[in-house]
Amino acid sequence: MRFALDIGTQNVVGVLLDEVKRDGGGGTRTFRPIAWAEAAHVHGAMRDGQVLDAVRAAETVRRVADALLASANVPHLPPVRLAAAGRALTTVRGYAREANGIRRRFTEEDASRLIWGALEHARREAPKGATLVGYEVVRFLLDDEEYPSLTGQSGFVAEGEVLATFLPRAVLDGLLATVERAGLEPHSITLEPLAALHAVVPPELRHLDLALVDMGAGTSDVAIVRGGKIVAYRMLPLAGDELTEALARELFAGIDEAERVKREAYGNVGTDEFLSFEDALGRVRNIRAAEVRELLRPTLSRIADALAELLAPEDVRPQGIFLVGGTSHIPDWPRMLADRLGLPEERIVRRDARGIRRLALSADDPAGPETVTPYAIGVAEEEAILRATGVWVNDRPTIVLGFRTPTVADALLAAGVGPRDAYGPPGAGISVRVNGELRTFPGELGEPPILERGGERVTPDTPIAAGDRISVRRGAPGRPRRLAVRDLLHAQDYVPLIVNGAFRLFPPLVFRRGERLSPEDALHDGDEVLVRPLTTVGDLLESLGAPEPWWEEHTAVVDGRSVRWVRRAVRVWEESPEGRRELPPHSALGRGMRLFLSPVPLVHPPLGELLVPGEGEVPTTLVYVQGRPVRLPRLRRVWRTPDGRTFTRETPVEPGVSLVRVEEPLPEPTVGTALSAALAELPRPPAGFRLRLEKNGLPAAPEDPVREGDRIDLRLERRERGDEGNRTP
């Protein structure tokens, strides 16, 4: 047998339930009511679902308990099941953030610490005196990207968000004090909207975005449901009493008379019979039921407007709405709310007790919308019951409240111990200025706390039970931060290139007080560094430490014409589908370019490379030596500086020099000069032979002049006796 009490603002409702069947072994349980009783509070006992005077409230509870005992004809009542009103609940979003400064992989312990920190933040934001009774993890963020879990993910900045539910401790204490003063033993406490959700919303619909509205006498309590969980509680101080008071003003009647007329007018909506009432002057008057409903239409509209705004803040509307509570029996609500929310009317459903699947009602049992909450409290199972678990934290007694099996972290939070109190302090951080911007890199996180339960090591996620003794010792401090240049850089800062056939990633140029740093160099607190990305070929050469000069442009003057040339120690070529092209240092550097670098001798070019084709040519005499053409210059052409220095085509040109061409006539060419131009040296004849010099087939001497087209040949002839001492030149 189960005993449930709904201690409301105006009255107390009690119900005794008896289990009639269980589907399968340990399956769904079904109950039937065996007694029902209710009584109104003495004025001042309650306000907005909270006990103000436990003595007066206990008197009403005792009257209901006695009525149940008499009705059920049982010797005693079982422990009572209670519920806290939804309007007393507060939902708070809690946040925690960890910025590491460097990319690292996150563990399950990191995620647990974030949740713990977010809950501590929510507790600080919750109303004073509120107790955490449940929470849901909303999301994790890693570098602004949402993840269902942090474990195994890598990034720089991790964030956790929770939605925590708090209940004022005074509400719990007031309920417990009332029932104990009434001589009853408490069994458990649930939350009214949670019990109603489990009672009237089928499990297959709980994954949708829903709203549950409990329309009572003084207030309309709203529970917002997402993913099967209640994520927000809201309260509207407008409900049945507002309608009653409006009708009392219109009829000039007392509150009790107006309440009766209201119930009768909406109890027979299909009829238009006359309703009798006594006004404030004691006169009996009649009014049609339809006229009563018309008088209440403006107040109904005002309540519907306020409810629609409460149900869909910022235009985020629920997919469906369930209405329970005594005032929900008014048939106009689904249409009025549907019009205001833009929902199909069939998505707004009124539920009475006959919609509770685990309840077997007879035709005579109370079953109106106002009975849903008392029945729901009675049939609530473990997942909807608020557990109070008493433990010891560092030898201090602590009560942990929640709907799930409590953990070590829950106990620590209940005892006022957050992660900042338990984890060791972080190590010393480092601050550096990067391109003028101050960047801070925290030290390593402190070591986790040493948590023990009964002398055995545990983690924050370890489940606990009543009577457990938990000890927490703060973790060791974290180590000071060690920072290298590479910790300042991101993957996109590196430029991928193929240089001389090898793929490489080139970091940006980093300087500290003018000193070039490598990615492995250490940084210290207060350092100022300049990070310069590689954007040009010159930046790449600087990164490689290539010898200078990389590109020097020089000029000189030759015969009044300015000539230019480039002097560099390294030549850079790009290979592309269009072919190869040389890149000067100011050329833009693109990611993935194929480059070739080769050293170049640091010399200035000879004058001949700077002359216009044909500019250095002189008149010549063409002759043939041994059949090969040889051109013999008739002029000597040189260039002289103003100070008298002489330059030939082979002379390196100095930057800034001014040269003027000078032509000098040469002696008439001879057979000897033709031989010298054509042959490095005269061939040596074999023994017994000598060379004979011919010009145009006739004997010739070296000093003989030559003319255009002459042919000069060397012939072998046998020596005659007595000629051994004579040699042909």
Side-chain angles (χ1 to χ4, degrees), residues 328-384:
S328 70
H329 76 282
I330 296 175
D332 296 331
W333 293 126
R335 176 184 54 78
M336 299 179 77
L337 290 175
D339 290 344
R340 286 160 175 78
L341 294 171
L343 287 174
E345 189 173 339
E346 59 268 19
R347 294 266 190 98
I348 302 175
V349 182
R350 288 179 295 151
R351 283 282 195 245
D352 59 20
R354 299 193 185 279
I356 301 177
R357 293 185 178 183
R358 303 209 314 273
L359 195 62
L361 296 176
S362 67
D364 298 330
D365 290 327
E370 72 279 359
T371 67
V372 169
T373 298
Y375 283 134
I377 297 170
V379 301
E381 297 296 346
E382 291 300 312
E383 68 270 15

Side-chain angles (χ1 to χ4, degrees), residues 177 262 406 480:
K262 180 189 73 174

Side-chain angles (χ1 to χ4, degrees), residues 16 21 28 56 113 124 156 206 243 311 338 410 412 535 539 547 571 623 636 672:
L16 286 178
K21 70 174 182 177
T28 303
R56 293 181 178 180
R113 182 175 59 250
R124 293 196 302 269
F156 292 88
R206 294 178 194 165
L243 294 168
L311 285 166
D410 295 331
L412 297 178
T535 59
D539 295 333
R571 178 172 289 177
V623 298
R636 179 173 180 263

Side-chain angles (χ1 to χ4, degrees), residues 191-352:
L191 305 177
E192 288 182 3
L194 184 62
L197 169 71
H198 282 263
V200 303
V201 180
E204 62 269 18
L205 296 182
R206 294 178 194 165
H207 68 284
L208 301 173
D209 291 348
L210 304 172
L212 184 74
V213 183
D214 186 352
M215 307 184 74
T219 62
S220 296
D221 296 325
V222 176
I224 305 299
V225 181
R226 292 195 185 100
K229 307 293 183 182
I230 297 179
V231 298
Y233 300 95
R234 299 166 186 154
M235 187 269 286
L236 181 69
L238 299 173
D241 287 351
E242 191 76 9
L243 294 168
T244 302
E245 292 170 5
L247 186 59
R249 289 192 295 271
E250 293 290 341
L251 300 181
F252 192 56
I255 291 295
D256 292 341
E257 277 293 274
E259 177 69 22
R260 181 183 60 78
V261 172
K262 180 189 73 174
R263 289 178 179 273
E264 291 178 1
Y266 284 107
N268 299 284
V269 177
T271 65
D272 192 20
E273 61 184 13
F274 280 100
L275 305 176
S276 297
F277 67 95
E278 184 178 296
D279 66 14
L281 300 178
R283 298 174 299 183
V284 176
R285 299 175 59 189
N286 294 318
I287 188 172
R288 289 184 179 276
E291 187 179 350
V292 172
R293 294 192 290 269
E294 190 62 31
L295 288 173
L296 290 176
R297 188 171 302 279
T299 307
L300 283 173
S301 182
R302 185 161 57 88
I303 296 175
D305 288 340
L307 259 181
E309 186 175 346
L310 201 68
L311 285 166
E314 302 173 2
D315 296 327
V316 180
R317 64 183 184 182
Q319 296 172 284
I321 301 173
F322 290 86
L323 305 176
V324 298
T327 305
S328 70
H329 76 282
I330 296 175
D332 296 331
W333 293 126
R335 176 184 54 78
M336 299 179 77
L337 290 175
D339 290 344
R340 286 160 175 78
L341 294 171
L343 287 174
E345 189 173 339
E346 59 268 19
R347 294 266 190 98
I348 302 175
V349 182
R350 288 179 295 151
R351 283 282 195 245
D352 59 20

Side-chain angles (χ1 to χ4, degrees), residues 76-101:
H76 58 83
L77 295 172
V80 62
R81 296 168 181 259
L82 304 168
R87 70 191 72 114
L89 297 166
T90 302
T91 53
V92 179
R93 289 186 181 268
Y95 304 89
R97 182 177 186 271
E98 287 186 3
N100 301 290

Side-chain angles (χ1 to χ4, degrees), residues 1 10 80 129 133 150 184 186 192 237 260 262 297 309 312 380-382 388 443 489 509 539 609 614 690-692 703:
M1 185 167 58
Q10 291 191 344
V80 62
V133 295
L150 280 185
L184 303 175
E192 288 182 3
R260 181 183 60 78
K262 180 189 73 174
R297 188 171 302 279
E309 186 175 346
E381 297 296 346
E382 291 300 312
L489 308 178
L509 297 167
D539 295 333
E609 292 184 6
R690 67 178 181 181
L691 295 174
R692 188 179 69 189
E703 61 274 13

Side-chain angles (χ1 to χ4, degrees), residues 602-721:
L602 275 176
V603 295
H604 290 293
L607 175 59
E609 292 184 6
L610 303 178
L611 297 176
V612 176
E615 184 179 4
E617 297 180 1
V618 296
T620 60
T621 299
L622 175 63
V623 298
Y624 296 90
V625 178
Q626 296 291 88
R628 292 169 50 200
V630 176
R631 292 190 174 275
L632 302 176
R634 296 198 298 270
L635 292 176
R636 179 173 180 263
R637 181 173 291 169
V638 295
W639 287 260
R640 287 198 176 95
T641 64
D643 60 1
R645 289 183 295 153
T646 299
F647 283 66
T648 67
R649 290 172 60 89
E650 292 73 28
T651 306
V653 178
E654 303 165 3
V657 71
S658 179
L659 301 173
V660 177
R661 183 174 59 187
V662 177
E663 295 180 350
E664 300 174 347
L666 293 175
E668 185 179 17
T670 64
V671 171
T673 56
L675 289 174
S676 298
L679 304 173
E681 61 180 11
L682 292 177
R684 183 177 294 276
F689 290 85
R690 67 178 181 181
L691 295 174
R692 188 179 69 189
L693 184 60
E694 294 181 353
K695 181 177 78 169
N696 298 327
L698 299 175
E703 61 274 13
D704 291 346
V706 293
R707 301 287 184 268
E708 182 81 12
D710 284 349
R711 294 180 177 277
I712 300 169
D713 297 292
L714 291 172
R715 309 285 185 187
L716 281 176
E717 66 179 7
R718 189 176 295 277
R719 291 179 182 276
E720 297 181 0
R721 291 181 180 273

